[in-house]
Amino acid sequence: MLTDPKLRAQVDALWDKFWTGGLSNPLDAIEQFSYLLFLKRLDDRENAAERQAKRKGTTYQPSVKREVRWGYWTQMKAEEALSHLKNVVFPGLVELADVKSSFGEYMKGAQCKINKAGLLIEACNLIDQMKIAEQNQDV
């Protein structure tokens, strides 16, 4: 349950973007939103681990390939970012876990259903504005 009115408005705005961008099936919109949130949080965790390693003066050992990270592909031009998401990031999700794990099982069929580059960039910008890592609630 979203209790923060600003966050709720941002989620509603993203929902509207998905709807007008061609994801009119609510299950598809929720699924794609969930994948994007997961990718954003994954990158947030990697960034935090990198900062912590720097503070401790230790070598940072990334657990996620650079090409899969939010901060990498969201900086690309729209068409390139969409292609990269479909052809590199989503297939890379399966590689993040043992195929026999529940995570691997859920991700083996993961696919990007966003077909408009502009929609992807708008969605990513809205998710960045939500500052998910700073939220004290389940988004």
Side-chain angles (χ1 to χ4, degrees):
M1 176 178 194
L2 296 175
T3 55
D4 179 359
K6 181 180 177 188
L7 181 59
R8 172 130 186 129
Q10 291 170 321
V11 169
D12 287 344
L14 182 55
W15 185 269
D16 290 342
K17 292 282 182 199
F18 279 148
W19 180 265
T20 58
L23 283 174
S24 55
N25 180 339
L27 294 177
D28 287 342
I30 291 168
E31 177 187 62
Q32 297 304 296
F33 186 26
S34 297
Y35 286 144
L36 291 174
L37 284 176
F38 172 76
L39 291 166
K40 174 65 171 144
R41 290 292 294 138
L42 189 65
D43 194 47
D44 289 345
R45 283 188 47 204
E46 283 293 305
N47 289 334
E50 188 173 12
R51 284 190 305 272
Q52 185 178 23
K54 217 177 259 188
R55 280 192 307 271
K56 291 181 176 181
T58 59
T59 304
Y60 168 65
Q61 295 294 334
S63 52
V64 179
K65 292 179 185 175
R66 181 168 88 62
E67 303 84 39
V68 175
R69 293 187 54 186
W70 180 274
Y72 177 79
W73 59 267
T74 58
Q75 301 305 307
M76 296 175 174
K77 292 182 180 177
E79 290 293 333
E80 186 182 354
L82 181 59
S83 175
H84 186 81
L85 186 67
K86 287 178 176 270
N87 300 314
V88 177
V89 176
F90 270 77
L93 287 175
V94 179
E95 297 173 12
L96 289 176
D98 181 352
V99 178
K100 295 179 182 176
S101 72
S102 60
F103 177 78
E105 189 65 30
Y106 290 124
M107 291 299 168
K108 75 178 178 185
Q111 59 179 306
C112 179
K113 294 181 181 176
I114 298 170
N115 292 317
K116 296 179 180 175
L119 173 61
L120 174 63
I121 298 306
E122 288 181 54
C124 291
N125 288 339
L126 282 169
I127 289 171
D128 280 336
Q129 291 170 18
M130 290 178 193
K131 302 195 184 301
I132 302 298
E134 298 172 17
Q135 296 297 326
N136 238 357
Q137 59 185 325
D138 183 13
V139 179

